[in-house]
């Protein structure tokens, strides 16, 4: 931690500075998400209450929607539910990458333990004792809630012509290359071009030209 910011070093040797979100703003985001779920639950009950499905099916729908809402938002909307988006927060893996199904499902299932004995008392105590303000679910799932860094949007592999390398890349090299472009939105353009210049033995180019070549190779690896 440096000046309240979390410093991470990626496999490419790039340092990321993330700001962990504290309990107060996370509670505000959770409250907004809970209101959204209440609205969804109200319409669900209203639609099915007059049918023959019964209270049991309605309860099942409420259970699935309560647990499914945060997981779907975190996986498909880059760690940002409606509440987190409104308050400028996002959920990331401990290494700075977006959360996947396993991490999101695990952190939300363990929210039951955070809730004990009442009103997320365990989760609040855990956040106050942890330097990254992680609750139990975050620690077990290897995730963290940070402030969303607003950087200029850049396309990743849209309209990118997939390219092949002159020689096969090792699995580790492929993973590092794809990981570089997964973090692209958090890195300055100048730093991306600097890193691309290091790959001159592979691309035969430097700067922006080398970056474009690497983007094409990464696009080919992900197809």
């Amino acid at each position: 931690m440096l000046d309240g910011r979390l410093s991470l070093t990626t496999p490419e040797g790039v340092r990321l500075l993330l700001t962990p979100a504290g309990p107060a703003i996370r509670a505000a985001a959770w409250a907004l998400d809970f209101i959204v779920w209440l609205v969804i639950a109200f319409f669900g009950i209203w639609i099915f209450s007059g049918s023959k499905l019964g209270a049991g099916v309605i309860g099942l729908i409420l259970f699935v929607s309560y647990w499914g809402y945060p997981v779907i938002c975190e996986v498909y909307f880059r760690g940002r539910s409606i509440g987190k988006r409104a308050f400028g927060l996002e959920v990331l893996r401990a290494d700075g990458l977006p959360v996947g199904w396993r991490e999101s499902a695990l952190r939300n299932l363990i929210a039951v333990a955070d809730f004990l004995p009442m009103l997320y008392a365990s989760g609040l105590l855990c956040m106050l004792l942890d330097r990254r303000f992680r609750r139990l679910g975050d620690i077990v799932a290897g995730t963290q809630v940070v402030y969303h860094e607003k950087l200029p949007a850049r396309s990743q592999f849209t309209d990118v012509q997939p390219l092949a390398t002159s020689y096969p890349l090792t699995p580790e090299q492929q993973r590092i290359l794809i990981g570089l472009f997964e973090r692209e939105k958090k890195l300055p353009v100048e730093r991306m071009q600097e890193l691309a210049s290091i790959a001159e033995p592979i691309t035969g180019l430097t700067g922006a030209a080398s970056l474009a070549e690497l983007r094409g190779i990464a696009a080919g690896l992900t197809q």
Side-chain angles (χ1 to χ4, degrees), residues 69-147:
Y69 165 72
V71 174
I72 291 174
C73 288
E74 291 171 5
V75 173
Y76 284 106
F77 301 101
R78 303 187 66 83
R80 309 185 74 193
S81 62
I82 294 176
K84 288 184 174 63
R85 184 177 294 273
F87 288 92
L89 307 178
E90 64 179 330
V91 183
L92 296 175
R93 282 176 15 189
D95 57 3
L97 287 176
V99 295
W101 287 106
R102 187 189 69 82
E103 296 88 7
S104 181
L106 190 57
R107 73 183 298 274
N108 285 291
L109 285 175
I110 297 180
V112 176
D114 288 307
F115 187 82
L116 298 175
M118 60 181 296
L119 300 177
Y120 284 100
S122 297
L124 176 61
L125 179 62
C126 186
M127 281 192 282
L128 294 176
L129 295 177
D130 186 78
R131 297 179 62 189
R132 302 183 187 181
F133 300 124
R134 294 174 298 175
R135 60 176 174 83
L136 290 175
D138 289 319
I139 293 174
V140 174
T143 59
Q144 56 196 353
V145 180
V146 299
Y147 284 93

Side-chain angles (χ1 to χ4, degrees), residues 174-191:
Q174 295 180 24
R175 186 185 65 79
I176 292 176
L177 181 58
I178 294 173
L180 173 64
F181 285 99
E182 287 179 340
R183 295 182 175 86
E184 183 181 10
K185 292 183 178 180
K186 297 183 179 298
L187 300 177
V189 175
E190 295 76 11
R191 182 56 174 157

Side-chain angles (χ1 to χ4, degrees), residues 160-210:
V160 177
Q161 179 65 37
L163 300 175
T165 56
S166 55
Y167 59 88
L169 298 177
T170 66
E172 179 66 14
Q173 290 172 327
Q174 295 180 24
R175 186 185 65 79
I176 292 176
L177 181 58
I178 294 173
L180 173 64
F181 285 99
E182 287 179 340
R183 295 182 175 86
E184 183 181 10
K185 292 183 178 180
K186 297 183 179 298
L187 300 177
V189 175
E190 295 76 11
R191 182 56 174 157
M192 288 291 294
Q193 294 180 357
E194 182 181 356
L195 289 170
S197 296
I198 298 175
E200 183 179 2
I202 298 176
T203 63
L205 302 168
T206 60
S210 182

